[in-house]
Structure formats: C-alpha cells, structure tokens
C-alpha cells in the first residue's frame, strides 16, 4: 500500500513537470507571435500580451526545471518552442520559409540543444 | 558581405536590433541565474530591466524579420552569451564539447543572416519573374 502511494506520487510529479514544461513552451511560442504583432511595442494590447506571456513562460519553465535536469529541460523547451514558432509564423503571419532559412534555424536550435545537453560542469 | 547598394537598410537595421535583443537576453539569463529564484534583490531588478529590454528589441526586430528566424537568432545568441559569460560570474566552465556546439550555433547564425539578406531575396524574385512591376525587387512582406 505504501509502495503504491509512493509510486503514485512519483508518477504525479513527473506528469506535473511535463505539464509545466508544456505550458512554458506554449507561452514561449506566444511570446514570438505577440512580439511580432506588437510591432516594436507600438500596439498596446499585443505589448501587454508579449510581456505577460514572457513572464508566464519564465515562471513555468522555472517550475519545470525544479524536477527536470536544467540542461535537458532547457533544451526541450527552446527546441520545441523554436519549431512551434516557425509553424505559428506560417499559420498566423503567413511567413513561409525557404529551405535555406529552415536549415539555418535547425542548425541554430540543434546547436543550442547540443550545448545544453553537454552540461556546464 | 553584400554591397551596400543591394542591402536593404530596414533589414540591416533590424538585424542590428536583433543582435542587441540577443545581448539583452544574455543579460536576462545571467541575472535570473544570479537572482537565485528572485531572492537576491539586485539581480532581480536587473533581470526585470533586461526582460523589458530584450522583449522590446525583439519586437522591433520582428517588424522586418520572420519570427521563426528572429526567435532562433535571439535564443541562439542568448545561449552562446550565457555559455561564454557564465564562467565569468558563476561556478561554470567552458568544456571543449561546449566550444564545438558554440561554433555550430555561430555558424548557423551567420548562415541565417546570409539566407535572410535581401540580395538573395531579390535574386529569387528575378529568377521567378512572376512579377513585372519595377518595385518588385524592393518590396518586402509585412
């Protein structure tokens, strides 16, 4: 009985940290979209949305990184957000990228993932 | 380098602002790290200021740069800067493996800048020759 309770608690913690990380990714994608819409903070509501999304993304990333390894969590966060932003840019802003730009984005994001996974110690 | 006659000043300026946004992002990352969960006042204030600066300059840059490119460059510079400056402020070190990944990121950033240069864009428009308007090569999306 105690084992079952402990397993449930470990399982719930893992589910929660993935949930926090997902929220952090969604709001990071929103930061990209809203910052684009805010046109250099000349549109008030998009500006508010950008700042709020940035704060929420940071907050939930912080929560997720309490249980994830920092490098791994950060690598997943930036890479999924980076790809998500390309998709959102194509869907909502009509920004279709050619293969050269797509390759460049993949190299940069791949490099960030590699950097984060290779640790800082 | 492209010649100045073919470089669109709006794009060039946007890339400069984007580099600045990346630099502010580095300041933000280092400040958040130093604030230890926003418990150290000085670093927390610095994090808040860099937070505003980095998002403002990102928003300015994204007026003329596609969001997918802008975000990758912004995050890429942030990661490179944090890896380079981290060892100066905190108990971190730069290993050879991390050095190689830094080179990959920087290579990707240069590639992206070149792929986003208006020269390539205008050559594409000419090659496609779908438009005969004289301003076709200088018009930009957004």
């Amino acid at each position: 009985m105690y084992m079952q309770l402990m397993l449930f608690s470990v399982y719930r913690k893992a589910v929660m940290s993935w949930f926090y990380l997902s929220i952090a990714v969604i709001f990071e994608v929103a930061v990209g979209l809203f910052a684009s819409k805010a046109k250099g903070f000349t549109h008030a509501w998009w500006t508010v949305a950008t700042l709020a999304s940035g704060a929420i993304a940071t907050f939930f990333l912080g929560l997720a990184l309490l249980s994830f390894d920092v490098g791994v969590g950060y690598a997943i966060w930036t890479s999924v957000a980076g790809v998500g932003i390309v998709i959102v840019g194509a869907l909502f802003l009509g920004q279709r990228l050619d293969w050269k730009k797509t390759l460049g984005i993949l190299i940069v994001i791949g490099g960030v993932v590699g950097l984060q996974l290779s640790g800082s110690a | 380098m492209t010649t100045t006659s073919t470089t669109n000043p709006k794009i060039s300026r946007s890339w400069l602002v984007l580099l600045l946004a990346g630099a502010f992002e580095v300041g933000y990352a280092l400040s958040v790290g130093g604030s230890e969960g926003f418990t150290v006042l000085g670093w927390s204030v610095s994090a808040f200021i860099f937070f505003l600066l980095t998002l403002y300059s990102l928003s300015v840059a994204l007026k003329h740069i596609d969001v997918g490119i802008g975000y990758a460059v912004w995050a890429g510079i942030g990661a490179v800067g944090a890896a380079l400056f981290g060892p100066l402020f905190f108990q971190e070190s730069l290993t050879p493996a991390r050095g190689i990944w830094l080179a990959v990121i920087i290579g990707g950033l240069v590639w992206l800048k070149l792929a986003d240069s208006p020269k390539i864009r205008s050559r594409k428009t000419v090659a496609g020759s779908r438009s005969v308007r004289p301003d076709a090569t200088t018009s930009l999306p957004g």
Side-chain angles (χ1 to χ4, degrees):
Chain A
M1 184 63 190
Y2 177 70
M3 264 310 273
Q4 277 172 331
L5 272 176
M6 223 174 66
L7 272 175
F8 178 73
S9 140
V10 168
Y11 172 75
R12 205 183 67 159
K13 209 181 157 196
V15 168
M16 285 315 282
S17 48
W18 278 104
F19 173 71
Y20 294 146
L21 196 62
S22 311
I23 303 278
V25 166
I26 290 168
F27 279 96
E28 184 73 355
V29 172
V31 166
L33 179 66
F34 296 160
S36 215
K37 289 271 190 194
K39 304 268 177 210
F41 284 7
T42 52
H43 292 51
W45 287 110
W46 291 122
T47 303
V48 171
T50 305
L51 296 174
S53 303
I56 296 170
T58 307
F59 177 75
F60 279 97
L61 179 68
L63 278 184
L65 292 186
L66 289 178
S67 39
F68 275 95
D69 174 86
V70 173
V72 175
Y74 191 87
I76 297 170
W77 178 65
T78 357
S79 56
V80 180
V83 172
I85 282 172
V86 171
I87 295 169
V88 161
L91 288 179
F92 295 102
L93 302 170
Q95 297 175 348
R96 300 262 146 73
L97 302 171
D98 57 32
W99 71 268
K100 282 185 174 175
K101 294 175 181 175
T102 310
L103 178 65
I105 290 171
L106 289 177
I107 294 173
V108 171
I109 292 175
V112 174
V113 169
L115 182 73
Q116 295 300 332
L117 295 186
S118 58
S120 65
Chain B
M1 284 301 261
T2 54
T3 53
T4 42
S5 59
T6 53
T7 305
N8 187 303
K10 270 185 188 168
I11 300 276
S12 300
R13 219 179 305 130
S14 297
W15 270 86
L16 280 179
V17 175
L18 187 57
L19 296 184
L20 198 63
F24 289 142
E25 178 68 6
V26 175
Y28 177 63
L30 293 176
S31 305
V32 170
S35 76
E36 286 168 26
F38 296 101
T39 53
V40 183
L41 182 67
W43 282 111
S44 304
V45 171
S46 150
F48 180 69
I49 292 168
F50 276 122
F51 173 78
L52 294 180
L53 287 174
T54 190
L55 287 181
Y56 170 70
S57 42
L58 178 69
S59 183
V60 170
L62 290 183
K63 285 204 282 188
H64 302 292
I65 297 175
D66 289 346
V67 65
I69 295 175
Y71 180 78
V73 172
W74 183 59
I77 295 174
V80 169
L84 288 179
F85 289 102
L88 289 181
F89 293 99
F90 311 114
Q91 300 289 312
E92 291 176 14
S93 61
L94 195 58
T95 59
R98 283 170 74 78
I100 291 169
W101 286 116
L102 289 184
V104 170
I105 298 173
I106 293 165
L109 294 177
V110 174
W111 172 276
L112 266 183
K113 170 67 181 84
L114 295 176
D116 196 44
S117 81
K119 207 182 171 187
I120 290 171
R121 223 178 250 186
S122 59
R123 202 192 296 143
K124 248 189 105 175
T125 314
V126 172
S129 67
R130 264 163 284 136
S131 169
V132 288
R133 283 182 297 124
D135 63 332
T137 53
T138 51
S139 70
L140 292 159

